[in-house]
Amino acid sequence: MTLNDAEFGKEYRIASVNTGGDEEMENFLFSLGCYSGEPITVVDKRKNLVVSIKDARYNIDPELADAIEIDED
């Protein structure tokens, strides 16, 4: 499942990041600490998702969230 399918407030592990070869998007997500094995939590869901990665919060749009595959922790 992707980050768009995540439940609010539940911690997941990032399984993979599938950017379809978009190196810029992949580098951006990596710079946020978004890579395989890292815990991630959706802390707010509105138009975009607010996620917590490594004690920081980021606003992720649906396109980016769709590139992030997650597993239940």
Side-chain angles (χ1 to χ4, degrees):
M1 81 175 136
T2 69
L3 193 57
N4 282 319
D5 303 316
E7 293 179 35
F8 173 77
K10 187 173 179 180
E11 185 174 273
Y12 295 89
R13 288 238 175 251
I14 298 171
S16 63
V17 177
N18 303 311
T19 61
D22 185 338
E23 193 173 320
E24 185 177 337
M25 183 188 300
E26 189 172 326
N27 290 338
F28 173 71
L29 289 171
F30 188 79
S31 74
L32 301 181
C34 189
Y35 46 82
S36 294
E38 195 63 37
I40 189 168
T41 304
V42 175
V43 295
D44 196 9
K45 272 188 167 183
R46 294 193 184 155
K47 180 180 177 185
N48 293 330
L49 301 176
V50 178
V51 298
S52 175
I53 306 171
K54 292 189 175 195
D55 298 325
R57 291 185 178 196
Y58 302 101
N59 191 17
I60 304 286
D61 69 26
E63 181 184 0
L64 284 175
D66 203 37
I68 303 169
E69 295 283 332
I70 56 171
D71 290 327
E72 291 191 35
D73 199 24

